[in-house]
Amino acid sequence: MKRYLFFAIILVACWLVSACQQNEIEFYDQSPRLNFDRHTEVVSFADSDYVRNTQFKKVTFHVVLQGNMLKEKRSFVVKTARDTTFKTDVEMELEKSYVYSAIDTVAQSYDFKVMRPKDVRTGRTEYGSFLEFDTSNPINQFDRGLEESQRLLVTVRWELRPSSWEDWQFGTYSDAKYLYIMDLLHHTYDEIESDEEIEKVKETYKKYIEDGNTPILDEEGNPINFEN
């Protein structure tokens, strides 16, 4: 009985090795195709980006060659596509086409721009779009690759809140409060160097209210204040 079981295991192992070798042959022995090397890319904008008025982030995507090695340079095209699970599309700036120029390699990297979200809020990833290969574009010179690797999900979020925030200085944190501070001081919380700046924030907002201006509301709809 043990002998039969041993032979059965050997047969299964041989079949698995053969199947793997066949898959490798199928992957490489075909017309050139491209795949993304990952499925998601997260782009974050921080408080320093708000102060500096950063308008975009340069992002790198990586493609992997499937099929026969190239004998000459080839062009490919990527485009954006909606992901309906997100409320807002990501605005991306892409080249009309890209060129796979390192023909002696199986991977190459390229840059594109992700534009800054207009809605400035902390920790809410509401922006998402796909970057995908456009194999139907006449400029494209590659066949379609693996179906599961034809799209790269790009999500964008703000990470405003500094990790070092102390409530005793300005009270409980809120995005609205922090945006007011940065607009007034023209630098981030971590760059505050004196008690005079802390008092400037408090006194300036106090005068703002005394002058009859509408209070600034936090994320819960409550007026901000700078009390401990």
Side-chain angles (χ1 to χ4, degrees):
M1 182 66 181
K2 291 183 178 178
R3 180 180 298 176
Y4 292 128
L5 180 59
F6 175 77
F7 284 131
I9 292 174
I10 293 297
L11 287 172
V12 171
C14 290
W15 177 83
L16 289 174
V17 170
S18 176
C20 290
Q21 290 176 341
Q22 181 64 29
N23 286 338
E24 289 177 1
I25 292 172
E26 290 176 355
F27 188 86
Y28 292 106
D29 188 20
Q30 53 187 245
S31 61
R33 303 151 191 263
L34 292 178
N35 300 297
F36 289 112
D37 76 330
R38 67 193 67 183
H39 294 107
T40 59
E41 183 73 41
V42 179
V43 183
S44 298
F45 286 81
D47 53 357
S48 56
D49 294 309
Y50 179 82
V51 169
R52 296 167 187 161
N53 197 28
T54 302
Q55 293 302 303
F56 64 87
K57 287 288 185 76
K58 186 176 289 187
V59 182
T60 301
F61 69 90
H62 313 274
V63 300
V64 179
L65 181 65
Q66 173 188 345
N68 297 323
M69 293 293 290
L70 300 182
K71 296 180 179 179
E72 59 184 5
K73 299 176 183 179
R74 290 197 182 195
S75 298
F76 68 94
V77 181
V78 293
K79 64 179 181 179
T80 60
R82 292 211 65 196
D83 182 343
T84 56
T85 60
F86 290 88
K87 292 179 62 176
T88 312
D89 294 336
V90 174
E91 185 180 350
M92 294 180 257
E93 187 175 302
L94 307 170
E95 299 292 337
K96 182 179 179 181
S97 66
Y98 297 86
V99 177
Y100 198 107
S101 56
I103 61 175
D104 58 339
T105 68
V106 296
Q108 196 165 346
S109 301
Y110 304 87
D111 293 330
F112 68 104
K113 293 178 181 178
V114 171
M115 311 312 290
R116 162 182 170 157
K118 297 179 176 61
D119 188 13
V120 184
R121 293 186 293 171
T122 291
R124 295 175 177 83
T125 308
E126 297 187 346
Y127 300 84
S129 293
F130 287 112
L131 187 65
E132 65 177 27
F133 293 108
D134 186 5
T135 53
S136 63
N137 191 304
I139 300 176
N140 184 78
Q141 295 177 306
F142 289 86
D143 290 334
R144 191 169 181 83
L146 299 174
E147 194 61 34
E148 65 272 18
S149 299
Q150 294 302 287
R151 282 182 159 187
L152 173 67
L153 176 60
V154 180
T155 63
V156 180
R157 65 188 178 204
W158 277 97
E159 293 183 352
L160 281 178
R161 179 170 181 161
S163 59
S164 57
W165 182 274
E166 297 286 349
D167 287 355
W168 65 268
Q169 290 177 313
F170 294 116
T172 303
Y173 176 86
S174 73
D175 288 347
K177 181 182 294 187
Y178 191 30
L179 292 175
Y180 176 82
I181 292 171
M182 289 190 287
D183 288 339
L184 180 65
L185 300 181
H186 305 295
H187 57 68
T188 67
Y189 176 86
D190 291 336
E191 295 169 328
I192 294 176
E193 296 181 345
S194 66
D195 292 338
E196 286 75 13
E197 286 188 315
I198 296 174
E199 289 304 314
K200 178 181 179 180
V201 170
K202 295 179 178 181
E203 291 301 319
T204 303
Y205 187 70
K206 180 180 178 181
K207 186 175 187 307
Y208 170 85
I209 295 299
E210 290 174 348
D211 289 344
N213 293 295
T214 303
I216 297 172
L217 304 181
D218 63 18
E219 296 86 309
E220 305 298 325
N222 301 315
I224 65 171
N225 68 79
F226 291 92
E227 302 303 321
N228 298 336

